[in-house]
Amino acid sequence: LFTPSTVPDEDMVNASATASAAPTALPTVTVNTSPEYREVSLAENSAFHVRVNVHYEEVEALSACKVPLDVVCVLDNSGSMTGSKLDSLKKAMDFVINTLGPNDRLSVVNFNSHPTVLHGLLKMNS
């Protein structure tokens, strides 16, 4: 769990001598990983897949001044993407699409033996 700390008031630089240095509420980011295998011998296999889950809890006060995001999703379309891997990919894309705001942009890239851009950055306002 990563929780950013606030800067002490005495370290804050104010643009105006009359401005107060109130602490700003910061978001919380949680990152979890799930490797494809519990144990891997690097002598036998130097590459393996890892699923990374990032959970971002936004403070309500920050949502009004949120900077739009540009997100590029690279989707594995190889023959190994079947069953639970494909289900996980579908759930992840559903989450991304439903989480992005109307001013955020999304691009999707298909990857098999080489990348193919399915579409460039499209605004999520429709």
Side-chain angles (χ1 to χ4, degrees):
L1 178 66
F2 172 74
T3 306
S5 61
T6 57
V7 177
D9 286 344
E10 60 270 10
D11 292 343
M12 298 289 285
V13 177
N14 293 323
S16 166
T18 60
S20 66
T24 303
L26 297 173
T28 302
V29 177
T30 306
V31 179
N32 296 309
T33 59
S34 298
E36 183 177 15
Y37 306 109
R38 294 195 326 153
E39 295 179 9
V40 175
S41 169
L42 294 179
E44 294 175 19
N45 189 2
S46 62
F48 61 96
H49 296 101
V50 176
R51 179 180 5 182
V52 178
N53 297 315
V54 179
H55 181 72
Y56 177 87
E57 288 188 42
E58 191 170 337
V59 178
E60 260 186 64
L62 294 177
S63 63
C65 60
K66 181 182 168 208
V67 175
L69 299 174
D70 285 347
V71 177
V72 178
C73 293
V74 180
L75 309 180
D76 183 352
N77 189 29
S78 65
S80 67
M81 289 300 291
T82 60
S84 65
K85 289 181 185 178
L86 187 57
D87 291 339
S88 292
L89 175 66
K90 289 177 182 179
K91 287 178 187 175
M93 283 306 299
D94 186 53
F95 172 80
V96 168
I97 291 168
N98 290 316
T99 302
L100 291 175
N103 293 319
D104 298 328
R105 299 187 308 170
L106 175 66
S107 176
V108 178
V109 177
N110 186 32
F111 185 83
N112 195 332
S113 58
H114 62 278
T116 304
V117 177
L118 298 178
H119 64 78
L121 289 167
L122 296 176
K123 205 166 184 183
M124 300 298 292
N125 61 0
S126 57

